[in-house]
Each structure stands twice: as structure tokens, then as C-alpha cells.
Amino acid sequence: MLTTRAVAAVAMLVAGPAMAQSQLSIATGGTGGVYYPMGGGLAEVVNRHVEGLDATAEVTGASVENMGLIATGDADLAIALADTVEQAYSGTGRFDGQQLPMIRAVGSLYANLVQIVTPAGSDIESIADFEGARVSVGAPGSGTEVNAQSLLEANGMSFDDFSAQRLNFNETADAIANGDIDAGFWSVGAPTSSILNLATVNDVRMISLSEEEIAAAQEAEPVFTALTLPADTYEGVSEDVSTIGVPNVLVVSSEMDADTVYEITKAMYENIDELRAVHPAAEETTVEFSMSATPVPLHEGAIRYYEEVGADIPDDLRE
């Protein structure tokens, strides 16, 4: 008589081997931002709706690091700020002399807002007041660091003008709460958990940018767009906040299989309600937003999906 284990083994032989699951790594950011929950939500969508893929969201240092992970093949998909993606593709800015021509887009997900937080009792009223202060400019290699540097340099300032602390979102929130820094930058979708938690137990203010500061930033970096953080997004912030924003792009390597990219793109858009249930930033994740906000050419697999749904694909998004 066959044992239970033997019966199971025979059944497996009759049925044939199970389909192997291809592992898919999605590079995101820190746990205190939006990249990680968005990446996790996308992984769940892929796992539910794309046969043969097993996707996992990975915590990373965000945009700049993520481009390197795509280039080396250590990540299959990545979320990154549009200016970082464009610099990586063209070999400019932070990627001067390190062009990554394999970078391709699946589409754009939502826009980051540059959010500058300071304690409610702080003397800092504008970025001009940073001189001599202690300011977190984001984690090393993050899109926040890139955006902060671009904004400040466009307005005649640099990290040398103050004590620049390179902290991630949760560390920045903790440092503000503990009085260890005077202000901090976030470049992230709104609302974001780290600021929500900070504002719940601490009195904080958001620093608005002037029209002149926004115009200077846009002249230096055309990818910046003027945006408003609505009043009451965070507890105690009762007025609209004028700032700038940058789209976030879902990126792959040009070497990824076109059928796989097509299936991922299709699953994302056709099950977008599942992603929106994870984070409200996905309300911006539309075909139209991708056509207007994506800074580098689309992967051929993504183009196949966009053509299927009748999207008007700009010439510069085709290779």
C-alpha cells in the first residue's frame, strides 16, 4: 500500500510540474513615504492578475538608487521622480557621465509635492530663512534630495548655506519632533504617513513658496509644475500651501520582456481601483496622466497596451 506521501508524489507526476513563478522586484523607497505602499499595492495587483509572476515591493533609498538598481538588474521595476529618471536617461545632473540608456517607462503614477515642514513656533517663514539652520534635505540618493537641491540652487542657495541633514522621511519627522532640526523637506505624494503622524502629536507649519521662487524653479527644471497642497491635508495646516511638484514614473529596463511589461501595464490600469484602495495618490494614475507627464520613452510592451486602448501617444514617448 502506498503511503500518503507516495500518493501525493504520484499525483504530482500525473498532473505535471507546477508552473514556476517568476520573481519580480519592485524598487520603492522608505516606509514613511508613498513609494512603498504604492509599490506594495502594485505588487498585489500583479500577483492577483498576472499569471506566473510573484512580485514584491522592496524598501530602498528611492529615486537615484532605484535607477541604479534597474541598470544593474537588481530590480525589475522601480518608482522614481521624473527629473531623476530624465537625468539618468540623458546622463545629466546627478548622472553626469553615467548615462543609463536602458531606462524605459511603463507610465507615470502620480505627482510628488515638495512639502517643507517646520515647527509651528519656528522663525522660518520661507526658504530664504534657512541660512544657518538645521535642515533635512532627504535621504542620500533620494528624489527629495535632488528636488531640494534644484529648488534651492534655482533661488541662489545651496546646501552649504545651512547644516544639511540627510535623513529619510521617518527620521526627518522624528528629528523635527525632538527639536533636533529646524525644518525638513519631503518630496512625496500627499498625504504621507510620516507627516500625518508628526502633525497629529506636534504643532507644525508648512512653508509656502512664493511665485518668484516657483518661477525660478520651473525655469531651472521644466519638469517642475506649480501645485497647491490643500488646506487641512494635515492637522493644524489650515491654509493652502503653494509649492512645486514632480511626476513619479514607473520604470523598467528596455531589456525586460515585452509581453511581461504589457501584462503588468494592463493589470495596473484595468485594476486601478485596487491600487487606489491602498493609497489615494493612485487617483492620478491614468493613461492621460502618463501621456502628459512621462519624461522618457515608453517600453514597447507598455506602448502595445496604450495603443490597444486608443491613447494618443506623443512622438517623444516612442523610441
Side-chain angles (χ1 to χ4, degrees), residues 121-165:
S122 166
D123 293 332
I124 296 175
E125 300 290 341
S126 72
I127 58 174
D129 296 328
F130 283 167
E131 187 169 357
R134 302 162 299 172
V135 181
S136 172
V137 296
S142 67
T144 295
E145 184 185 31
V146 173
N147 288 170
Q149 183 175 16
S150 297
L151 169 64
L152 294 171
E153 288 183 352
N155 286 281
M157 301 175 64
S158 77
F159 291 170
D160 294 334
D161 293 328
F162 51 84
S163 175
Q165 310 293 310

Side-chain angles (χ1 to χ4, degrees), residues 10 35 64 83 165 176 202 212 310:
V10 171
Y35 281 12
V64 175
D83 53 349
Q165 310 293 310
I176 290 175
N202 295 271
E212 293 76 16

Side-chain angles (χ1 to χ4, degrees), residues 83-94:
D83 53 349
T84 304
V85 173
E86 194 282 327
Q87 288 176 12
Y89 179 74
S90 62
T92 58
R94 291 290 297 270

Side-chain angles (χ1 to χ4, degrees), residues 182-207:
D182 303 300
F185 279 86
W186 277 256
S187 184
V188 64
T192 188
S193 61
S194 48
I195 301 179
L196 283 170
N197 294 336
L198 172 65
T200 298
V201 295
N202 295 271
D203 293 331
V204 298
R205 287 187 291 108
M206 306 289 287
I207 302 299

Side-chain angles (χ1 to χ4, degrees), residues 182-265:
D182 303 300
F185 279 86
W186 277 256
S187 184
V188 64
T192 188
S193 61
S194 48
I195 301 179
L196 283 170
N197 294 336
L198 172 65
T200 298
V201 295
N202 295 271
D203 293 331
V204 298
R205 287 187 291 108
M206 306 289 287
I207 302 299
S208 271
L209 301 178
S210 69
E211 292 183 5
E212 293 76 16
E213 288 165 344
I214 291 172
Q218 288 179 302
E219 183 175 355
E221 293 285 350
V223 73
F224 283 141
T225 185
L227 293 172
T228 299
L229 178 70
D232 301 319
T233 299
Y234 301 109
E235 190 169 334
V237 182
S238 58
E239 297 181 353
D240 289 351
V241 179
S242 297
T243 187
I244 53 176
V246 184
N248 288 289
V249 187
L250 183 61
V251 171
V252 296
S253 168
S254 59
E255 297 178 5
M256 181 177 277
D257 175 69
D259 290 340
T260 300
V261 177
Y262 166 80
E263 293 294 344
I264 292 169
T265 309

Side-chain angles (χ1 to χ4, degrees), residues 284-295:
E284 297 179 46
T285 307
T286 64
V287 170
E288 293 74 20
F289 183 62
S290 286
M291 296 304 100
S292 65
T294 303

